[in-house]
Amino acid sequence: VNPDTVWIDVRAELGENVVLYPYAQIRGETKIGNNVFIDSYTIIDDGSRIGDNVQIGPHNTIRRAVIGCGTRVPYDAELVDFECGEECNIARGVTVSNFGGLRKRKVVIGNGCFIGTDVNLVAPLVMGDEVRVFPQTRVIFSGNIPDHAWVRDYISGEKRDIDVNYNRSFKIPGHFRWLITKEYAQNPEEIRRRLSIVCPPCNNEDELEAALK
């Protein structure tokens, strides 16, 4: 779209059906797969790898990153020294803190993860598949976060820490359909109970029904 306003490095490799909106920049030896949408004012550089069927919104910075197939990065994210699997959702304002004072480290997340709004991922960090990180959580964790875990901030006295729930038996779904699972079909009352605990705004029956469809 409006190619005169788009900047593509001669070293970059683009697949088929890649759509670049005005003022997008593709720098360095970046490789972009097929059927990729990149919105305005997004910068992708330093040899990043973007998989097929990825949607990247406006005002994102992606540097030295690997973005798996089918992942969405809506807008205003800063993903540096970052690697994610397939079918992830990286919400607005997610940032990666890659420098700890001595050297730069990476954040690696698995497939199907949901990273909420304004989350700060502090490297080094490794997450499993289908992990859900609640909005505005600052994730500092000395170890691997397992598959299907839920991660959120909590404050105890003057200390701020994170709560990692290891025992979630149901999975995080595809984009924008957040908790519809096989387990819901088998045991809807249990899933409703869990939703009422971890998602207080969705206590209303109609809202629950809408969210689970």
Side-chain angles (χ1 to χ4, degrees), residues 54-58 60 62 67 71-75 77 79 88 90-91:
V54 170
Q55 295 190 30
I56 301 175
N60 291 294
I62 299 174
I67 307 297
T71 289
R72 295 186 183 188
V73 186
Y75 61 99
L79 308 177
C88 294
I90 312 298

Side-chain angles (χ1 to χ4, degrees), residues 64-108:
R64 298 188 299 275
V66 177
I67 307 297
C69 298
T71 289
R72 295 186 183 188
V73 186
Y75 61 99
D76 280 346
E78 185 171 349
L79 308 177
V80 182
D81 293 320
F82 174 78
E83 182 175 333
C84 76
E86 300 180 356
E87 299 293 338
C88 294
N89 189 86
I90 312 298
R92 180 191 63 78
V94 172
T95 59
V96 172
S97 298
N98 66 324
F99 184 61
L102 295 176
R103 62 191 181 92
K104 295 179 179 180
R105 299 173 181 267
K106 290 186 67 173
V107 169
V108 179

Side-chain angles (χ1 to χ4, degrees), residues 177-195:
R177 298 168 38 216
W178 39 267
L179 289 169
I180 184 63
T181 66
K182 294 179 180 177
E183 285 79 3
Y184 172 72
Q186 296 167 358
N187 192 355
E189 294 306 318
E190 173 63 10
I191 301 304
R192 288 169 185 270
R193 185 188 68 80
R194 295 183 187 184
L195 278 171

Side-chain angles (χ1 to χ4, degrees), residues 114-159:
F114 184 98
I115 310 299
T117 303
D118 293 327
V119 165
N120 179 211
L121 303 172
V122 180
L125 179 66
V126 178
M127 292 185 186
D129 294 338
E130 296 171 340
V131 173
R132 179 181 178 86
V133 180
F134 280 65
Q136 299 182 338
T137 299
R138 187 167 185 248
V139 185
I140 304 175
F141 195 74
S142 59
N144 294 352
I145 295 178
D147 296 348
H148 316 311
W150 285 21
V151 182
R152 57 182 172 179
D153 272 343
Y154 73 90
I155 298 176
S156 177
E158 297 181 354
K159 182 181 178 181

